[in-house]
Amino acid sequence: MILLNRSTSDSLNKLLVKKSPEEIISSIANNYFKNKVVYVCSFGAESAIILHIISKISKNFPIIFINTLKLFRDTVFYKENLIKSFGLNNCVDVYPDTGDVEQYDLDDNLWNQNQNKCCEIRKVKPLNKALKGYEAWISGRKGYHNDERKGKNIVDFQNDKFIISPLIVKSYAEINNYFLKYKLLRHPLYKEGYLSIGCKNCTSKANENGKIRSGRWSNSMKTECGIHFDQKD
């Protein structure tokens, strides 16, 4: 039995730090967490890599897709195509609580008035509910996305869950090479300049500065939706 604490995450990180993404995911699924780990997938611009890896480990690997009801239709179609292409059988869609939407976003304009609250009711709270019963979840974040992610470990412990980031140390070139090597399907919006893809109201094309997430909440100081934040702070 794995102890749920930061000391364990430090130990796991030392064991996994030199392993490939394939080895990391295989180890946590087969040796450490078994059926207590899930992949939280956005089906965004780079999601196909981890989906491809887990499809080779188990077609029944659990996947959570947070459908905020604010996504691009292209994202939903892309999700359906990838699930079918990889033959994955255990993807669960989770949605915002109807009561929260009626209470906080009855006018469908919360994204414009209070972005943090919008993310809270449409992403953070649904994910927290869906993660009950799991000890760990896999994140597709990479260090080159922004400074906040650059300092993260492969294994972190947050909100009483382990967060596993198999691609955190990979470069933009390595990610692109993986897509090319395995001929993976790209998100339809990627070729239009959307390098990071979230909800349609808060996602635009990446700026010319080359920063991957520059198109997310581009007119504000916000850089993350909140699912990776310590909610006890």
Side-chain angles (χ1 to χ4, degrees):
M1 179 179 178
I2 292 182
L3 296 177
L4 303 181
N5 57 42
R6 295 189 188 279
S7 178
T8 301
S9 72
D10 292 341
S11 297
L12 286 175
N13 195 61
K14 290 176 182 178
L15 290 171
L16 299 174
V17 69
K18 293 184 178 181
K19 293 185 180 294
S20 68
E22 292 87 349
E23 291 171 328
I24 292 170
I25 296 174
S26 178
S27 293
I28 64 168
N30 297 322
N31 302 328
Y32 300 117
F33 298 105
K34 300 186 183 297
N35 64 343
K36 294 293 186 179
V37 60
V38 62
Y39 175 33
V40 178
C41 184
S42 67
F43 289 88
E46 299 167 336
S47 298
I49 292 180
I50 292 181
L51 289 169
H52 179 246
I53 293 172
I54 67 175
S55 73
K56 294 186 290 184
I57 296 172
S58 172
K59 302 294 185 183
N60 293 314
F61 197 106
I63 301 164
I64 291 173
F65 172 53
I66 308 173
N67 189 331
T68 64
L69 302 177
K70 291 287 188 180
L71 302 175
F72 291 94
R73 283 187 295 176
D74 283 321
T75 297
V76 178
F77 293 149
Y78 184 54
K79 173 240 178 185
E80 294 170 352
N81 287 336
L82 287 182
I83 290 296
K84 182 178 180 180
S85 174
F86 294 139
L88 297 165
N89 304 314
N90 194 10
C91 182
V92 176
D93 293 12
V94 299
Y95 300 90
D97 180 78
T98 301
D100 282 340
V101 174
E102 291 178 349
Q103 180 178 357
Y104 297 107
D105 199 15
L106 193 60
D107 296 328
D108 199 29
N109 195 41
L110 187 61
W111 66 271
N112 191 39
Q113 298 172 335
N114 188 336
Q115 293 173 332
N116 287 333
K117 190 66 178 180
C118 190
C119 287
E120 178 190 337
I121 68 169
R122 293 185 180 275
K123 295 195 73 173
V124 177
K125 291 182 68 174
L127 178 59
N128 287 345
K129 183 177 179 180
L131 286 176
K132 290 181 179 179
Y134 291 105
E135 296 176 351
W137 59 279
I138 297 172
S139 168
R141 58 188 174 176
K142 295 96 183 164
Y144 64 80
H145 280 178
N146 59 30
D147 290 338
E148 288 181 76
R149 299 184 174 198
K150 190 177 296 182
K152 296 298 182 180
N153 295 317
I154 291 173
V155 183
D156 286 309
F157 187 73
Q158 188 170 281
N159 303 315
D160 298 323
K161 306 285 184 185
F162 294 98
I163 304 178
I164 317 296
S165 304
L167 305 177
I168 196 70
V169 299
K170 293 301 176 183
S171 68
Y172 182 58
E174 287 175 305
I175 295 300
N176 284 332
N177 288 339
Y178 191 103
F179 270 92
L180 293 172
K181 178 179 179 179
Y182 293 102
K183 298 181 173 60
L184 300 185
L185 181 67
R186 281 284 195 179
H187 193 293
L189 294 177
Y190 177 80
K191 62 183 179 182
E192 297 182 22
Y194 292 82
L195 303 185
S196 178
I197 303 163
C199 295
K200 58 187 176 182
N201 296 113
C202 299
T203 302
S204 56
K205 296 179 182 180
N207 298 331
E208 293 182 1
N209 60 20
K211 293 183 178 180
I212 300 297
R213 291 175 65 83
S214 60
R216 304 290 293 275
W217 308 284
S218 56
N219 294 321
S220 73
M221 297 297 292
K222 186 176 174 67
T223 60
E224 297 281 355
C225 66
I227 63 172
H228 293 105
F229 290 164
D230 192 338
Q231 293 158 35
K232 294 179 181 179
D233 287 348

